[in-house]
Amino acid sequence: MNAPTSRLPATLATVLALGLAAASGSALAAKGDTEKCSGIVKAGKNDCGTSKSACAGTATSDRDTEAWILVPAGTCEKIAGGKLTDKPENVHGGAMAANKG
């Protein structure tokens, strides 16, 4: 009677892995329906680099005017303080990556 119980952790791990894979797939598919929104991010919650930082999670203050996150297209400017951004340094690696060209 102990055999079904021993399979439970493996089964749960498989179900969790499948759920995460499905969620990440739909997130990637929706990426085209998003826009970079700056001025609304909490400290440490930015999606990528700025002129002051090189990567995600490095914003040092709330509502930094350069720090941005991806939001559904059409919503950024509806959020208090939100501004669309397309600055070249707003990429992975920040200003250093943008200047490598």
Side-chain angles (χ1 to χ4, degrees), residues 2-101:
N2 211 7
T5 308
S6 66
R7 289 187 215 145
L8 185 60
T11 303
L12 288 174
T14 301
V15 169
L16 180 60
L18 290 172
L20 291 173
S24 67
S26 62
L28 290 175
K31 196 170 188 176
D33 297 334
T34 60
E35 57 195 9
K36 292 179 181 180
C37 189
S38 65
I40 62 170
V41 181
K42 299 286 276 176
K45 300 295 182 182
N46 59 307
D47 278 349
C48 214
T50 68
S51 68
K52 301 178 254 181
S53 66
C55 56
T58 56
T60 57
S61 62
D62 290 352
R63 302 178 79 72
D64 183 315
T65 57
E66 285 191 34
W68 60 272
I69 59 170
L70 287 174
V71 297
T75 61
C76 179
E77 293 180 324
K78 294 178 182 177
I79 302 170
K83 286 190 172 184
L84 291 175
T85 184
D86 62 354
K87 293 181 179 179
E89 63 267 14
N90 288 346
V91 296
H92 183 70
M96 288 182 64
N99 292 331
K100 268 188 176 177

